[in-house]
Amino acid sequence: DVVRRDEATRRVLDGEADVAVTYATGPLHGVRVESAVVVPVYAIVPVGHELAGRARVSLAELCAYPVALPTTGQSLRELFDIAARIGNLAVRRVLECDELAPLYEFVRQGGGVSLVGGLGDVAGEGVEHVHLDDPAFRQREAQVQTMAGRTLSLTVTRFAALLVSLVQPAI
């Protein structure tokens, strides 16, 4: 199932799921973290955009353009809002969406810029990924979680090990 991060962790805590792969921004009680990887965050910009081709871009530079954002409640959005408040940045939020495809299409069509995590959030043509350099985004980890104290079957243990090997930055 694909569910929100708090729901994924709740299912592991309640024993409804053996394993969850989710983002976390702080300590979690009752779960065993099998793997935790800080995943970079990227600005996505149209090919040919002023920010395209750069190794890094700051949040202030990104916010100079109309921004499409994940919906409130997603870890990437929470960290974006915190970083924007800390930096006292004016943000022109023109689209909020909980799916990646519309964010990418918005950027491809020249509506502005957006941001994505670097864990499999890669969409093909018409956009470029530029590392978004802000300390706030280093607070988010991609975690493989199991219930603390629970003995897992051999099959689940192998599956969790496979997930750990796959949870690596994609870009």
Side-chain angles (χ1 to χ4, degrees):
D1 294 339
V2 177
V3 297
R4 296 183 75 87
R5 64 190 167 113
D6 55 341
E7 175 66 9
T9 299
R10 185 201 62 76
R11 288 182 183 188
V12 168
L13 288 169
D14 291 350
E16 293 176 32
D18 293 314
V19 181
V21 178
T22 189
Y23 287 111
T25 56
L28 300 168
H29 302 289
V31 296
R32 179 174 55 231
V33 177
E34 304 290 340
S35 174
V37 178
V38 174
V39 178
V41 174
Y42 293 88
I44 52 173
V45 299
V47 171
H49 189 275
E50 295 86 0
L51 301 177
R54 295 184 43 191
R56 299 184 178 288
V57 63
S58 71
L59 189 60
E61 290 171 307
L62 186 74
C63 289
Y65 302 93
V67 180
L69 293 169
T71 54
T72 302
Q74 294 187 27
S75 60
L76 190 57
R77 172 60 184 271
E78 290 172 1
L79 293 174
F80 176 90
D81 290 344
I82 289 167
R85 277 194 305 274
I86 290 170
N88 198 29
L89 299 173
V91 180
R92 287 185 286 163
R93 294 174 184 88
V94 295
L95 173 67
E96 292 184 11
C97 186
D98 62 359
E99 298 291 331
L100 287 174
L103 296 177
Y104 275 101
E105 194 57 31
F106 169 81
V107 171
R108 275 190 201 96
Q109 296 301 319
V113 298
S114 190
L115 63 155
V116 295
L119 186 65
D121 298 345
V122 180
E125 300 175 20
V127 301
E128 290 190 33
H129 294 82
V130 182
H131 185 260
L132 187 54
D133 191 16
D134 191 284
F137 296 115
R138 295 185 208 116
Q139 306 305 311
R140 186 176 81 142
E141 298 175 330
Q143 295 184 353
V144 176
Q145 302 172 345
T146 59
M147 183 190 296
R150 184 176 193 181
T151 302
L152 303 176
S153 70
L154 180 58
T155 303
V156 174
T157 299
R158 287 180 176 164
F159 180 65
L162 175 64
L163 291 173
V164 167
S165 74
L166 296 173
V167 176
Q168 300 297 322
I171 300 175

